[in-house]
Amino acid sequence: MQDIGVIDSAEVATAALAPIRTRLLAELSEPGSATTLAARLGVPRQKLNYHLRQLEKHGLVELVEERRRGNVHERILRASSSSYVVSPGVMGRTQPVVGADRDQASPRWLLALASRMVREVGELVVGARRTGKRVGTFGLDGEVCFATPADRAAFADELTDAVTRLVSRYHDDSSDGSRRHRLIVGMHAVPPGSTDSSGGAGPLGSTDPSESEEKNDV
């Protein structure tokens, strides 16, 4: 089972996003059959068999083993990935695009940056699996509470200056071995009721680059 599956075609997205199929993908984080799933979900086995065949057709579930129980031929399936992400590229020309209008305070601009990141990292993941390499990435996440909008604006200005200085110090495209890396810094309010948290305000949490970077990364 892969850690994350990248859905990068409209056909596969259509096959995956029906509510009953997303439920099946979640249930199949552990191997199961149409028979066991039918009992667990209260859905007729014949109906589940149809949806499982569609998921298998698009590589979203995979066969683990086949066995016979009495007169029943049972196929044991498992989700091909523990989680999935739909690439914004599925939307084609309607996906948010990073254009010339760089309004840093615009939600559209932030979503365009985020969409490009998901699309490009997804492409790297797919390509890395084909070549047997790893993807070298780095992630930083945290929360900060501002007393006033003026403080938020001042923070954004100082952050821009700090990142600009850091990039200037390390940027070097003078050699053939230079590798381009995309750097994205974004900030947005946390939606009310959000359960996805970095653990509260304070020091930023990050991945360890030494764990994700290798000489043969992509």
Side-chain angles (χ1 to χ4, degrees):
M1 177 185 285
Q2 300 171 347
D3 178 51
I4 186 166
V6 179
I7 297 175
D8 55 5
S9 82
E11 183 180 10
V12 178
T14 300
L17 293 178
I20 189 171
R21 294 180 185 172
T22 58
R23 176 72 186 277
L24 287 172
L25 289 174
E27 293 288 340
L28 288 174
S29 58
E30 298 293 335
S33 67
T35 301
T36 59
L37 290 168
R40 193 182 310 162
L41 302 179
V43 178
R45 182 170 60 86
Q46 293 81 358
K47 182 177 182 179
L48 288 186
N49 266 325
Y50 167 76
H51 291 294
L52 289 170
R53 283 195 299 270
Q54 292 301 307
L55 291 172
E56 188 176 9
K57 172 184 174 182
H58 294 287
L60 297 166
V61 301
E62 56 194 12
L63 180 66
V64 175
E65 63 173 307
E66 295 182 274
R67 61 192 181 200
R68 182 170 294 279
R69 281 187 167 185
N71 295 325
V72 178
H73 182 70
E74 194 172 34
R75 303 179 78 245
I76 308 301
L77 301 166
R78 179 180 61 188
S80 57
S81 301
S82 58
S83 59
Y84 298 87
V85 62
V86 179
S87 170
V90 167
M91 298 303 297
R93 294 171 61 185
T94 62
Q95 65 182 299
V97 176
V98 177
D101 183 16
R102 295 174 176 254
D103 181 0
Q104 293 180 319
S106 164
R108 182 199 174 282
W109 170 246
L110 183 58
L111 285 172
L113 294 177
S115 295
R116 183 180 63 184
M117 181 182 68
V118 172
R119 187 183 69 249
E120 291 185 342
V121 174
E123 290 172 3
L124 290 173
V125 168
V126 172
R129 286 183 183 139
R130 294 195 186 109
T131 59
K133 297 182 178 181
R134 293 183 62 182
V135 181
T137 59
F138 173 78
L140 194 66
D141 178 48
E143 294 180 12
V144 56
C145 297
F146 298 108
T148 67
D151 286 347
R152 184 181 62 217
F155 176 87
D157 288 340
E158 290 187 40
L159 181 62
T160 300
D161 290 342
V163 172
T164 299
R165 288 196 303 271
L166 192 62
V167 169
S168 297
R169 183 188 309 168
Y170 287 97
H171 177 68
D172 180 7
D173 59 1
S174 60
S175 68
D176 292 338
S178 297
R179 301 191 61 186
R180 294 173 59 210
H181 286 73
R182 186 87 68 191
L183 172 67
I184 297 175
V185 180
M187 181 172 64
H188 61 82
V190 178
S194 174
T195 58
D196 188 2
S197 173
S198 64
L204 298 176
S206 70
T207 60
D208 183 349
S210 65
E211 294 179 357
S212 58
E213 285 281 0
E214 291 191 348
K215 290 178 65 176
N216 64 338
D217 67 347
V218 296

